[in-house]
Amino acid sequence: MRIDAYTEVWVVDFEFRAAPGERPDPVCLVAYEVNSGREIRLWEDELKTGPCPYPTSPDSLVVAYYASAEMGCHLALDWPLPANVLDLYAEFRVETNGKTLPVSNGLLGALEYYGHSGISALEKDAMRDLILRGGAYSEAERQAILDYCASDVTATTQLLGSMQGFIFEHPRLGQALLRGRYTKAVAHIEFDGIPVDGELLAKLREHWSSLQDRLIAKVDDQYHVYDGRTFKQARFAAYLQAHGIAWPTLASGRLALDDDTFSEQCKSHPHLRPLKDLRQALGQLRLSELAVGQDNRNRAMMSMFRARTGRNQPSNSKFVFGLSAWLRGLIRPAPGHGLAYVDWSQQEFGIAAALSGDEKMKAAYLSGDPYLAFAKQAGAVPPDATKATHGPQRDQFKACVLAVQYGMQEESLARRIQQPPVFARELLRMHRRTYAKFWAWSDGVLDHALTQRKLWTVFGWMLHVDDRPNGRSLRNFPMQGNGAEMLRLACCLATEAGIKVVAPVHDAVLIEAPLEQLEADTERMQSLMRQASAQLLGGFELRSDAKLIRAPERFCDERGTVMWETVQDLLSELEGETAQ
């Protein structure tokens, strides 16, 4: 299909205000029809009293840069969403993902990449400040804001001219429209937001400074690694030595103390979890940045397509799922409502099995317990083994499967399962022997990436390989990238079916429904997730698990249970003292 195959092609841009956690409040719109040259300019009073001024029918196309913002304004104005959306931000990311760019992924950066010029960044910032100021605008200010909005439409139109030659090709256009379709799902998700316990959040914010000192005293009592509010690496090293815990180090010889290392070590040494939570909480948390509106809904920009894998990458401080696991207890459905956290079961394993065509791996996934199935296929446990009879062996083979997915080497796997490296090495060898077809495919993925300098997903999300390739990341890209595609498609199917998706979270979705409808919507969500996996994986369906939270219950992440209970106890103490 060519661009002129559409009856009308509208390039649109809204300016809007949105306080943290609140829905967008449209200020103005400029829209330009490419074929006829017609331009529409509407101020907020005209926007809020009239219908959508351009067609949203299947024979028309709406083009924008970072289109979820425009789709959110459609929802705020109660306008229908366009049938076809082309998001040039997403398409620019496809063209440049993995490359080093001279500037940013923003509209000005994309213009510069294709040899165009736009307004200066300083001028852009000044206009944004004026828009966010709100209140009454003078006639000159109104005209300046409309002109600024029009300049973005002009820039997006120029960008469309530079990109249409490769976007409007088969199969790229269909893939681009699928990405545009996702911007509509994201708009719904951001518009609805995640319900949180606003009263408890206010208490945590009020008492956080005092809670910090009490938390350290309470949690550090079993570790003795803090001096005041300062974590002492030497004391932690002494603790590790005293307890016989091997810990990864940096090239400098110092302990690796990043969150990922701590998370990995907690899987082998769960008694360290409270210390990890404490460090993370002290490092990130005043809770002032968590974006919660007056209706007690957490709304944060999903930052769609931002990760190299194509996954969302919302702010860790503004999005509740970006905070420490224990703080997810703030998530709480409103009275009469419930939530369901629906996540794919062993998603990466299933994707690897389907894409590689490894029949043994497929059989392991379809067994319902791929880790125990792997142990049986490798001959390490008898055919009638169960999780109850051979739990420790299953855990070791599970760790091996996860090690392969994360590109973990034998030393790291040995630490995870607390076995000698020679044992971990043999586990990894058993994986290669058992799933030889998968490994041949994985080797082919790596060879292609290194020779052709690119990889792509089933639906066309592209990764351009730079001059410093990471073999482990490249091997894992098909699982991560296609996992992101699967989640995007599931969100599209769900929001289009009227299911209220309030958050996508890596390989899961959080949905909300009235209590009497919760179980039915959860079953529908699981059906749509199976459908999404089948569409992506040539008919191979992935299972999902669901956890239901009914008001007045709250979301509970078992990794943060101890810290949550500790904080609640300390908060009660503080409130009791304040009341005296």
Side-chain angles (χ1 to χ4, degrees), residues 19-254:
E22 302 293 353
R23 289 172 170 171
D25 179 20
V27 173
C28 70
L29 161 74
V30 175
Y32 174 78
E33 205 284 301
V34 174
N35 295 326
S36 65
R38 179 187 173 204
E39 184 186 72
I40 296 172
R41 295 189 177 202
L42 296 176
W43 193 250
E44 59 182 324
D45 53 342
E46 300 168 298
L47 287 174
K48 295 174 181 177
T49 57
C52 181
Y54 43 80
T56 58
S57 54
D59 61 345
S60 63
L61 177 68
V62 170
V63 183
Y65 199 87
Y66 208 86
S68 61
E70 277 60 50
M71 299 304 101
C73 288
H74 269 248
L75 294 176
L77 295 166
D78 200 24
W79 290 358
L81 296 181
N84 300 307
V85 176
L86 178 62
D87 183 4
L88 294 187
Y89 165 77
E91 300 317 299
F92 183 62
R93 288 287 292 128
V94 170
E95 290 302 302
T96 60
N97 182 37
K99 296 181 179 180
T100 300
L101 298 178
V103 282
S104 69
N105 288 315
L107 178 56
L108 295 182
L111 278 177
E112 183 174 326
Y113 186 85
Y114 287 106
H116 304 296
S117 60
I119 67 173
S120 71
L122 287 176
E123 184 181 354
K124 204 169 184 67
D125 289 343
M127 292 307 301
R128 284 173 176 165
D129 289 343
L130 175 60
I131 293 163
L132 294 174
R133 187 202 72 190
Y137 295 105
S138 68
E139 183 59 33
E141 288 173 332
R142 280 180 52 164
Q143 189 59 51
I145 291 172
L146 281 166
D147 287 344
Y148 163 66
C149 188
S151 73
D152 276 355
V153 170
T154 299
T156 305
T157 304
Q158 288 180 307
L159 199 57
L160 177 63
S162 295
M163 300 178 73
Q164 70 180 52
F166 54 81
I167 290 177
F168 287 84
E169 292 180 348
H170 179 77
R172 177 65 180 269
L173 181 58
Q175 297 167 346
L177 292 177
L178 177 58
R179 287 184 281 269
R181 182 180 169 191
Y182 180 60
T183 70
K184 296 185 284 185
V186 168
H188 277 292
I189 292 166
E190 293 178 347
F191 194 79
D192 289 329
I194 304 167
V196 299
D197 187 337
E199 182 180 351
L200 179 57
L201 175 60
K203 291 179 181 178
L204 286 171
R205 284 172 167 168
E206 177 185 357
H207 295 290
W208 181 243
S209 181
S210 300
L211 275 172
Q212 284 182 312
D213 294 323
R214 298 194 183 207
L215 263 178
I216 292 171
K218 181 85 171 179
V219 175
D220 192 45
D221 186 56
Q222 57 181 310
Y223 307 107
H224 305 290
V225 297
Y226 273 86
D227 182 5
R229 293 188 180 183
T230 304
F231 180 90
K232 293 294 186 179
Q233 184 166 163
R235 293 186 185 180
F236 185 52
Y239 174 88
L240 295 174
Q241 184 175 8
H243 291 79
I245 300 174
W247 195 273
T249 57
L250 304 173
S252 63
R254 294 173 64 85

Side-chain angles (χ1 to χ4, degrees), residues 249-417:
T249 57
L250 304 173
S252 63
R254 294 173 64 85
L255 296 173
L257 297 175
D258 57 281
D259 284 344
D260 288 343
T261 299
F262 251 96
S263 295
E264 187 59 39
Q265 290 295 99
C266 286
K267 293 172 184 175
S268 301
H269 309 285
H271 60 279
L272 292 175
R273 169 66 64 176
L275 181 61
K276 174 195 176 294
D277 288 341
L278 175 63
R279 277 175 48 81
Q280 191 174 8
L282 295 177
Q284 73 173 185
L285 190 67
R286 284 195 305 266
L287 281 179
S288 58
E289 293 185 32
L290 185 63
V292 177
Q294 294 184 11
D295 58 356
N296 291 326
R297 313 284 294 197
N298 172 220
R299 296 185 182 89
M301 187 170 73
M302 287 295 102
S303 294
M304 56 186 186
F305 304 108
R306 187 173 178 183
R308 287 164 66 93
T309 59
R311 292 194 185 277
N312 304 321
Q313 208 168 64
S315 165
N316 283 337
S317 60
K318 296 177 181 179
F319 184 51
V320 67
F321 280 97
L323 301 177
S324 300
W326 65 273
L327 277 163
R328 295 175 188 179
L330 286 169
I331 300 171
R332 191 179 195 182
H337 289 73
L339 299 167
Y341 186 80
V342 190
D343 64 320
W344 275 290
S345 307
Q346 297 90 31
Q347 185 196 49
E348 288 187 37
F349 189 96
I351 293 173
L355 294 183
S356 67
D358 191 308
E359 296 302 328
K360 285 188 176 180
M361 189 174 268
K362 286 184 180 179
Y365 183 85
L366 293 173
S367 74
D369 188 342
Y371 312 127
L372 188 60
F374 169 30
K376 293 177 181 179
Q377 290 169 333
V381 299
D384 60 349
T386 66
K387 186 176 179 179
T389 61
H390 291 77
Q393 292 93 329
R394 177 190 178 275
D395 289 345
Q396 291 174 344
F397 277 79
K398 175 181 179 179
C400 178
V401 167
L402 297 178
V404 170
Q405 291 175 183
Y406 301 148
M408 192 182 295
Q409 302 301 308
E410 60 190 56
E411 293 82 5
S412 299
L413 176 58
R415 283 195 296 269
R416 167 82 74 86
I417 62 177

Side-chain angles (χ1 to χ4, degrees), residues 85 537 544:
V85 176
L537 301 177
S544 63

